[in-house]
Amino acid sequence: MPIKEADKSYDHDKIEKKVQKFWKEEETFAKVNELREKGPRYSFLDGPPYCSGKIHLGTAWNKIIKDSYLRYKSMNGFSLRRQAGWDMHGLPIENKVEHLMGIQSKQEIEEIGIDKFVDKCREFAIENKIAMEKEFDDLGVWMDWDDPYMTLDPKYMESSWWMLKRANEQDLLLNDQRVISWCPHCGTALAAAEIEYEEKEDPSIYIKFPVTGEEDTYFLVWTTTPWTLPANLAICVNPEFDYVYVAKDGVTYIIAENLMEDVLGKRIKIHRTKIPAENEDEEDKIIEEEEVMYEIIKTVKGEDLLGLSYDYILADEIPKQMEFDSEIEKVHTILPGDHVELGEGTGLVHTAPGHGPDDFEVGHANGLPIFCPVGEDGCFTEDAGKYDGKFTKEENTQIIKDLEEKGLMYHSETIEHRYGVCWRCKTPIIYRATKQWFLKVTDIKQKMLDEIGKVEWVPKWAGEGRFYDWVDNARDWTISRQRYWGIPIPIWECPDCGELKVIGSLDELKEESLTEINVSDSELIHRPYVDEVEVKCDKCGQTIKRIPDVLDVWIDSGVAGWASLYYPEEKEKFADWFPYDFITEGHDQTRGWFYSQLGTGVIAMGQSPYQKVLMHGFVLDENGNKMSKSLGNVVAPEEVIEKYGADVLRFYLLWASKPWDDLKFVWEELLNINKMFNILWNVYVFSTTYMSLDDFNPVGLTEDDMILRSEDKWIISKANSLIKEVAEDLDKLFFHKATRKINNFILEDLSRWYVRLIRGRTWVESDDPDKLGAYYSLYTALVKLITVLCPIAPHVCEEIYENLVKGVNPEAPESIHMLDWGYDEDAIDSELEAKMDVAREVIEASIRARDMAQYKLRWPVSDITVVSEDEDVLNAIEELTDIIKDQSNTKDVLCASEFEKLSYNAKPNLKILGPKLKGDMGKVVKGLKTADGNQIKAELEENGCVTIEGIELNSEEVLFDSELPDDFVSSEFEGGNVFVNTNITLEIRQEAMARELIRRVQDMRKELDLDVEANINVDVETSAEFKDLIVPQSEVISHEVRAKSLIITDSEECNKDSKDYTKEWDIEGEKVVISIKK
RNA sequence: AGGCUAGUGGCACAGCUUGGUUAGCGCGCUCGGCUGAUAACCGGGAGGUCAUGGGUUCGAAUCCCAUCUAGCCUACCA
């Protein structure tokens, strides 16, 4: 089968639909995997996107990086595992389902029934998964969509149970009362990774805590959370700091010295009064008066304050507080705290052990109760006395009012600051002391840090800086959530003896269960069914129940390394693929998946599950802002696909920035890439147009059969170099460099240069070996190009491949992705590539020169002279003379190290000669003006001096202006100068006029929309002079315009047919009437 | 407050790892050209304190330090 002529325009929609249909029908993905099955393994793990239902450009970028890299790896012979992953549990889905069901609270969920709620969550997650799958598919992402790992899969979930069992065996599982971040809306604990920060306005109040037994003396304390004051049990000071007793307005305040002026204002106010001077000579008088605003009574160390007690400020409102006061020694006293700093506040820190991690530790160390009068709904409990039942944050105002009424408020204002909110429902978080389950990350931190060092990070700072820092600061990981849709924590706890039983698999559960189980695995491993399973305590024999919590969703994805392989229930795949050679995710995953995998990996496997990480950036809008629904600047991937197609989007995203930088999405830039694809398509159309016309068949052709010109060898060399260089870039994950090189090759080398060079050859009608050489080379370059491009733009390359390769050779692999990625080192001739660069510059310089002289390129010139002192340049010109002749439209190319036709005018160097000659200057000026510059130059070069009007001048004293002869124009290029001879001889004039005539006939052919190969009859009617000019060129003209007959006549002999297409032209002032007939 | 990253013509980006011609490319602007790849292409031009200030060096966009600005991440903002 011959090569088919391609569609004239690049229709991305048609191509991509067609190719995707082909892949599906032929099961190309599976076949490609099968083909590479025996190759070396390269293991990759897909970071599971959360099943929110829609993908955004960031997710698209993420999958495109993965897909392009993996397609590349596959073409390099690697055997791959491209399993897609889905993150399907968790609060976000619960929240959406709550919405759908029209409910708002945990209480309502339990009324409806956990089973019904969980069913809805499952259904919702699966629906979303299917929708997102389709979107990834439209991008051309090749993953194993039919066999993904899903975090709701019971087999997957078992693997997370097993990890927790391993944690328990290493004593890394801990149930403890701690102060943790709490979302009052979701009614659950949150991990650090689930907290976002937003600018929020909060109260900022300075409160007077009366010093016990000292009248009108107060500790001044600052807080932004008045609602935590009901739980206040102490005040912390830093023992190292200096504190002052200050008398102001009749009372005494105790405050850190360094913060005194910030809080109380300037201690001394200076009033200046200006008395204007009476006359101008004197200066104005300024009288300064000092006013002391407050006085320092004494300065003490923080240490000296320790043990002092204060009268609790809400004693009347909260009876419970006074119980503590009487029962426990250190309640309502000053305690030491290293965490006290001098950045803000007063240096005296309100301490509520139930509401702050630091406070908690202070409380613990000093035997304070962990008093937390706030329930899981964020409302005060009855322990809060007067405030019972009120929502914490909303009660700020009331508490402030109460304090004001007691006269205990020093100052009250509001501030804007960053405050943590729940990542999904955006409710401001509160700190609460609760009992939660933890993974003791602090115990394995060192191991985690060691593992980070073993991983290869791209870019380097992602691991060494950012991630190391995060892990180094990590606290124990709160893994329990008081929710429903998640992996139930497999801990059965004995209420009597405290013994824990951690179940590691479903089989184990079934074995241990005291009752018969008659639900499916999927039901059994979720709430509420698993809640009903009772087992026997190993220690005391008591019947025990599971703790009611589910796991933090980050554990779900964290265990993907082995859970996706169903390890440890299944061992075989695990041995083949774990640990993973490569993962890539956005920089938000530093605290997310990179962390959760490393933590659980160290616990379960004693190692990091990944060995190489590419941390990529975020897609921002064109102003550099994050895309978000609230800003309304979100661009949906399908919008881009509709306009430009998946290939353009894919190429754009890999081209637009370094992968690890954030990417500004600019529509205009897409247009650019679209243009590149159009040009690629144009080259393809150009190629197939002529190749199909000539029935060109590349099958079995080798370079040895061909007569190739230098430019042919050059483009083949360039194409091979491209593959080599792109491979180096892709290996380093430098997608931005790889795409730039491809872009450059398509535009510069292939389209703007090679196609231009061979245009003339394709116009030859016969079976010319020279034309065949051009076809062969163009064909080879194109096939190399689509090979190198197809990991990035798989659709268009598959389409071209189908016609160009499969179309002519039934033996060829059925998909381009089955080709091996390779280049021919022997075909690379870097010397030739360098020479072509020189030739190109020379040609461009000569075109520039002609352009400046307004000498049309269409008109030939008799010669150009290239002047250069560089041996390499001259060699290059000699070798590529034909190309230069052709492209510069010159009959001859001369080389020289100096341009002899330059004439020189000598002139005096006034700067030197002026001071030296003074009065004689005039003689020299005149003498040099009349003398022959060339002769002076020669003399100076020979003797080093010359005598003018009896005065001897040396070479420094004479300057030269060079002058081109009238018929020459020149232009500079990197290696020298080009001089173009523009003298018009009769022969040149004849050829020029022939070209003018040809152009016009071609124009008319086009207007008639004639086939490229159609023959015509041409009649030309003109003046006798013009006829004489073009008749000698008849043969050339006929050939160029495909004329069967060419009749050129003087005006009088006119005898044309009225049916002919006739047009009257003005060529260089001559009237020319051209008629053409098919 | 700490960590990381970035700052290069109007716009979007290369170059920085490994210091070395006149700092590149594309878009846009402007002037001109070409016309069988033609909704394409080619050439000329204007437009840059390479964020700022120091330092190292014969030489810095590139290496070092400080500052400013922006983004992200983090923190016990009491």
Side-chain angles (χ1 to χ4, degrees):
Chain A
M1 258 205 326
I3 290 170
K4 284 195 296 260
E5 199 175 336
D7 283 352
K8 288 289 174 216
S9 64
Y10 172 56
D11 183 343
H12 62 81
D13 191 51
K14 189 173 152 196
I15 293 168
E16 288 174 8
K17 287 214 170 92
K18 178 183 157 195
V19 168
Q20 289 192 3
K21 188 169 163 233
F22 163 77
W23 287 340
K24 279 196 189 90
E25 281 173 359
E26 298 300 322
E27 297 181 340
T28 313
F29 176 61
K31 285 181 188 163
V32 167
N33 286 338
E34 205 177 311
L35 176 73
R36 308 292 183 190
E37 209 170 31
K38 301 243 157 51
R41 289 204 172 86
Y42 190 79
S43 62
F44 161 79
L45 183 62
D46 182 35
Y50 195 79
C51 288
S52 57
K54 270 246 163 280
I55 71 166
H56 52 82
L57 274 176
T59 350
W61 190 18
N62 171 275
K63 279 284 200 288
I64 286 166
I65 290 173
K66 292 170 180 172
D67 187 52
S68 298
Y69 188 62
L70 293 175
R71 282 178 192 256
Y72 165 70
K73 278 285 174 190
S74 168
M75 289 177 81
N76 276 277
F78 288 94
S79 163
L80 300 172
R81 200 161 175 274
R82 289 184 255 194
Q83 186 185 30
W86 300 101
D87 194 1
M88 305 176 87
H89 281 137
L91 259 183
I93 288 177
E94 287 197 39
N95 284 337
K96 287 225 172 111
V97 170
E98 277 185 29
H99 256 274
L100 285 177
M101 297 177 81
I103 53 180
Q104 282 185 15
S105 67
K106 286 166 76 173
Q107 203 189 338
E108 283 176 278
I109 292 171
E110 303 204 2
E111 278 165 16
I112 288 171
I114 297 174
D115 54 342
K116 289 208 180 79
F117 183 72
V118 163
D119 275 349
K120 264 268 181 287
C121 289
R122 180 186 291 114
E123 201 178 295
F124 184 75
I126 290 171
E127 268 170 29
N128 284 347
K129 186 208 101 170
I130 291 166
M132 291 167 77
E133 209 171 82
K134 162 89 173 58
E135 292 192 72
F136 288 137
D137 203 37
D138 288 346
L139 288 168
V141 174
W142 266 5
M143 278 198 182
D144 200 347
W145 304 115
D146 298 332
D147 184 25
Y149 73 83
M150 296 183 284
T151 57
L152 54 65
D153 178 351
K155 282 165 83 182
Y156 182 99
M157 292 165 73
E158 281 184 280
S159 300
S160 69
W161 279 15
W162 172 75
M163 185 277 291
L164 288 168
K165 191 174 176 170
R166 294 272 295 131
N168 191 44
E169 283 160 15
Q170 296 165 74
D171 199 22
L172 294 172
L173 210 49
L174 173 75
N175 184 224
D176 198 9
Q177 187 183 41
R178 299 223 185 152
V179 171
I180 45 105
S181 315
W182 186 271
C183 174
H185 172 260
C186 304
T188 184
L190 296 175
E194 293 174 313
I195 298 166
E196 279 180 9
Y197 292 83
E198 280 181 7
E199 283 296 323
K200 288 260 179 233
E201 190 170 90
D202 265 316
S204 164
I205 60 174
Y206 295 84
I207 314 145
K208 293 147 73 175
F209 280 68
V211 180
T212 306
E214 286 192 46
E215 202 146 320
D216 287 340
T217 305
Y218 302 97
F219 296 113
L220 207 50
V221 171
W222 178 66
T223 183
T224 56
T225 52
W227 63 268
T228 60
L229 289 169
N232 170 280
L233 290 176
I235 295 171
C236 281
V237 299
N238 192 320
E240 306 288 319
F241 295 164
D242 288 327
Y243 289 84
V244 288
Y245 283 67
V246 173
K248 186 183 181 189
D249 307 328
V251 295
T252 305
Y253 298 110
I254 301 169
I255 185 169
E257 184 175 22
N258 288 344
L259 292 162
M260 176 183 77
E261 293 205 335
D262 290 349
V263 177
L264 303 177
K266 283 263 180 225
R267 184 148 63 102
I268 294 167
K269 219 173 178 176
I270 295 171
H271 305 271
R272 285 195 169 82
T273 315
K274 193 168 164 186
I275 302 170
E278 280 172 20
N279 53 53
E280 283 174 16
D281 300 341
E282 291 170 31
E283 281 186 13
D284 297 345
K285 260 189 207 155
I286 292 170
I287 296 173
E288 286 192 359
E289 274 176 57
E290 280 187 7
E291 187 186 355
V292 178
M293 308 303 290
Y294 53 87
E295 239 177 301
I296 297 175
I297 300 169
K298 62 174 174 179
T299 306
V300 298
K301 278 275 171 212
E303 208 176 346
D304 302 326
L305 298 172
L306 300 180
L308 294 178
S309 56
Y310 59 90
D311 302 336
Y312 179 64
I313 50 175
L314 295 168
D316 304 337
E317 287 81 358
I318 303 161
K320 187 88 181 169
Q321 278 275 0
M322 296 330 284
E323 286 175 29
F324 293 139
D325 196 276
S326 56
E327 287 164 10
I328 298 155
E329 189 199 341
K330 288 191 175 170
V331 163
H332 303 146
T333 63
I334 307 294
L335 298 173
D338 292 336
H339 60 284
V340 177
E341 283 166 10
L342 294 174
E344 280 172 309
T346 62
L348 292 100
V349 174
H350 145 58
T351 300
H355 289 306
D358 261 344
D359 311 40
F360 177 84
E361 269 162 42
V362 168
H364 221 63
N366 292 285
L368 300 181
I370 308 303
F371 180 48
C372 179
V374 174
E376 62 172 43
D377 56 357
C379 293
F380 284 111
T381 62
E382 60 181 312
D383 280 347
K386 173 180 173 183
Y387 307 108
D388 181 14
K390 299 282 171 43
F391 187 71
T392 42
K393 284 234 152 191
E394 282 165 14
E395 204 58 3
N396 276 341
T397 342
Q398 183 60 44
I399 292 167
I400 290 169
K401 206 171 139 204
D402 289 346
L403 291 174
E404 275 168 350
E405 276 167 13
K406 288 166 194 265
L408 293 177
M409 186 66 77
Y410 172 76
H411 181 64
S412 163
E413 56 183 15
T414 59
I415 55 161
E416 284 252 331
H417 62 169
R418 286 172 74 78
Y419 193 85
V421 298
C422 173
W423 68 331
R424 286 297 162 175
C425 68
K426 309 295 176 198
T427 308
I429 56 152
I430 60 175
Y431 285 95
R432 270 184 85 223
T434 59
K435 268 206 137 183
Q436 297 291 340
W437 291 88
F438 295 87
L439 280 176
K440 282 198 261 177
V441 170
T442 42
D443 282 10
I444 54 165
K445 191 183 280 181
Q446 196 48 52
K447 175 74 182 156
M448 287 171 75
L449 294 174
D450 292 346
E451 286 298 308
I452 292 176
K454 294 183 195 161
V455 175
E456 183 188 347
W457 297 89
V458 181
K460 271 204 170 62
W461 50 261
E464 289 167 9
R466 189 181 272 250
F467 190 45
Y468 190 96
D469 199 51
W470 158 265
V471 173
D472 200 25
N473 289 321
R475 301 176 153 236
D476 287 343
W477 181 356
T478 319
I479 57 166
S480 47
R481 296 290 181 278
Q482 292 67 51
R483 297 296 304 188
Y484 310 97
W485 178 236
I487 301 180
I489 298 184
I491 299 174
W492 275 255
E493 188 179 22
C494 179
D496 293 343
C497 70
E499 178 72 5
L500 297 186
K501 189 190 270 278
V502 181
I503 304 272
S505 71
L506 275 173
D507 282 347
E508 202 180 324
L509 180 69
K510 288 173 189 166
E511 214 167 280
E512 295 277 352
S513 173
L514 296 175
T515 49
E516 202 186 325
I517 287 165
N518 48 16
V519 291
S520 69
D521 282 357
S522 174
E523 284 171 316
L524 175 61
I525 202 167
H526 279 102
R527 294 190 69 186
Y529 304 98
V530 70
D531 303 339
E532 287 156 20
V533 177
E534 291 179 327
V535 302
K536 203 172 235 149
C537 174
D538 290 336
K539 207 165 164 191
C540 66
Q542 166 83 273
T543 299
I544 56 177
K545 299 197 88 160
R546 193 185 72 87
I547 61 161
D549 299 340
V550 297
L551 277 173
D552 175 10
V553 273
W554 285 105
I555 300 270
D556 288 43
S557 54
V559 300
W562 55 93
S564 64
L565 303 165
Y566 302 142
Y567 184 81
E569 290 298 300
E570 293 174 23
K571 302 262 193 317
E572 199 181 326
K573 273 191 271 173
F574 178 81
D576 287 345
W577 298 98
F578 190 92
Y580 295 88
D581 292 309
F582 179 64
I583 62 170
T584 177
E585 302 298 330
H587 52 50
D588 56 330
Q589 296 303 328
T590 304
R591 65 175 189 178
W593 201 48
F594 298 157
Y595 178 69
S596 64
Q597 277 198 95
L598 181 66
T600 59
V602 166
I603 291 168
M605 303 291 169
Q607 70 172 99
S608 161
Y610 47 77
Q611 293 176 325
K612 179 172 175 176
V613 180
L614 169 64
M615 187 192 79
H616 67 75
F618 263 42
V619 181
L620 309 175
D621 77 358
E622 53 192 352
N623 301 315
N625 294 316
K626 207 168 175 169
M627 285 190 182
S628 73
K629 274 187 200 141
S630 55
L631 287 172
N633 59 356
V634 178
V635 177
E638 64 251 38
E639 205 180 322
V640 186
I641 292 179
E642 201 192 309
K643 279 203 179 99
Y644 299 108
D647 283 339
V648 170
L649 176 61
R650 292 171 64 112
F651 195 95
Y652 169 76
L653 289 173
L654 297 179
W655 166 88
S657 69
K658 301 180 191 102
W660 48 86
D661 276 351
D662 288 346
L663 184 156
K664 280 189 210 171
F665 185 86
V666 184
W667 280 105
E668 220 173 281
E669 301 294 324
L670 261 131
L671 212 64
N672 248 322
I673 299 303
N674 189 52
K675 203 165 123 183
M676 182 202 88
F677 275 88
N678 267 319
I679 290 171
L680 165 67
W681 192 259
N682 271 341
V683 172
Y684 169 59
V685 169
F686 171 84
S687 310
T688 57
T689 303
Y690 292 103
M691 287 177 188
S692 68
L693 204 64
D694 288 328
D695 273 340
F696 171 69
N697 189 343
V699 179
L701 292 185
T702 66
E703 213 166 315
D704 301 333
D705 311 326
M706 294 290 128
I707 300 166
L708 297 184
R709 294 203 196 179
S710 305
E711 57 263 44
D712 302 332
K713 289 181 190 150
W714 171 79
I715 194 69
I716 292 171
S717 169
K718 272 285 189 183
N720 280 287
S721 295
L722 176 73
I723 298 202
K724 184 180 178 182
E725 286 169 27
V726 167
E728 282 164 15
D729 290 335
L730 290 181
D731 283 334
K732 285 189 270 187
L733 301 166
F734 289 176
F735 301 107
H736 62 302
K737 290 197 178 184
T739 44
R740 274 175 173 74
K741 280 176 189 152
I742 294 171
N743 185 55
N744 197 58
F745 179 82
I746 294 174
L747 298 183
E748 290 297 327
D749 298 332
L750 197 55
S751 168
R752 287 176 196 159
W753 200 240
Y754 188 66
V755 169
R756 185 168 137 197
L757 291 183
I758 62 166
R759 237 192 246 177
R761 288 203 265 165
T762 60
W763 196 232
V764 176
E765 278 175 78
S766 59
D767 256 345
D768 178 20
D770 187 37
K771 178 167 75 175
L772 200 62
Y775 284 167
Y776 171 81
S777 311
L778 179 61
Y779 182 86
T780 308
L782 257 180
V783 173
K784 289 280 176 205
L785 171 62
I786 57 172
T787 312
V788 81
L789 180 60
C790 84
I792 294 164
H795 305 94
V796 70
C797 295
E798 188 80 270
E799 167 69 13
I800 295 175
Y801 176 82
E802 199 201 335
N803 181 17
L804 232 43
V805 179
K806 244 167 55 184
V808 294
N809 181 7
E811 307 285 300
E814 68 173 72
S815 164
I816 188 168
H817 294 88
M818 295 172 180
L819 294 186
D820 288 332
W821 179 280
Y823 58 92
D824 183 359
E825 188 72 59
D826 293 339
I828 297 177
D829 181 347
S830 23
E831 213 172 292
L832 177 61
E833 290 183 20
K835 282 178 178 163
M836 186 61 88
D837 287 343
V838 172
R840 231 180 136 164
E841 287 195 36
V842 167
I843 291 161
E844 270 158 19
S846 77
I847 291 174
R848 220 177 302 144
R850 298 166 69 125
D851 200 60
M852 281 187 286
Q854 300 203 306
Y855 189 101
K856 289 183 186 171
L857 183 58
R858 204 182 301 131
W859 296 22
V861 295
S862 60
D863 58 81
I864 67 171
T865 308
V866 182
V867 174
S868 173
E869 288 173 357
D870 187 337
E871 199 73 12
D872 292 341
V873 169
L874 299 177
N875 284 339
I877 289 158
E878 199 176 323
E879 188 171 332
L880 301 176
T881 286
D882 289 343
I883 294 172
I884 298 172
K885 274 188 191 164
D886 184 47
Q887 292 299 309
S888 311
N889 198 7
T890 180
K891 297 191 172 303
D892 207 358
V893 179
L894 308 168
C895 279
S897 57
E898 200 178 345
F899 189 55
E900 284 166 0
K901 296 197 184 77
L902 275 188
S903 63
Y904 293 93
N905 290 320
K907 58 177 189 178
N909 188 339
L910 294 169
K911 220 173 177 179
I912 299 174
L913 287 179
K916 183 175 160 192
L917 300 180
K918 295 183 180 146
D920 290 337
M921 201 56 216
K923 277 201 277 180
V924 174
V925 171
K926 215 181 255 172
L928 283 174
K929 209 170 201 175
T930 51
D932 180 351
N934 295 343
Q935 209 178 325
I936 293 175
K937 191 161 190 277
E939 217 166 304
L940 272 174
E941 269 162 23
E942 208 180 309
N943 307 326
C945 65
V946 66
T947 308
I948 300 291
E949 302 289 318
I951 297 164
E952 196 180 277
L953 303 174
N954 65 30
S955 43
E956 272 185 12
E957 289 160 348
V958 185
L959 299 173
F960 293 95
D961 281 338
S962 64
E963 205 172 81
L964 276 175
D966 287 345
D967 289 338
F968 283 85
V969 286
S970 84
S971 177
E972 222 179 321
F973 69 100
E974 224 183 278
N977 284 282
V978 178
F979 297 86
V980 180
N981 183 350
T982 56
N983 182 30
I984 299 170
T985 60
L986 176 64
E987 193 196 355
I988 285 174
R989 187 156 184 83
Q990 286 172 347
E991 283 183 30
M993 290 311 118
R995 302 296 338 166
E996 293 288 353
L997 187 72
I998 290 165
R999 207 219 88 200
R1000 285 164 175 84
V1001 176
Q1002 299 288 35
D1003 214 48
M1004 291 169 72
R1005 285 183 63 115
K1006 233 169 104 183
E1007 278 164 22
L1008 284 181
D1009 203 18
L1010 293 181
D1011 279 344
V1012 172
E1013 73 273 27
N1015 289 313
I1016 52 170
N1017 295 311
V1018 180
D1019 279 295
V1020 178
E1021 174 189 316
T1022 186
S1023 68
E1025 295 95 297
F1026 198 78
K1027 181 185 165 190
D1028 289 346
L1029 281 175
I1030 56 177
V1031 163
Q1033 298 287 326
S1034 296
E1035 208 175 309
V1036 175
I1037 297 169
S1038 303
H1039 177 252
E1040 286 291 317
V1041 303
R1042 298 206 177 208
K1044 284 180 290 192
S1045 72
L1046 171 66
I1047 301 165
I1048 305 168
T1049 59
D1050 295 348
S1051 321
E1052 287 102 82
E1053 302 168 29
C1054 153
N1055 68 339
K1056 60 173 189 291
D1057 195 321
S1058 60
K1059 276 184 268 170
D1060 295 353
Y1061 180 53
T1062 303
K1063 221 171 162 180
E1064 186 180 313
W1065 302 89
D1066 177 345
I1067 301 176
E1068 297 291 304
E1070 297 281 354
K1071 184 178 142 190
V1072 181
V1073 180
I1074 303 172
S1075 303
I1076 66 175
K1077 178 162 62 174
K1078 251 185 108 166

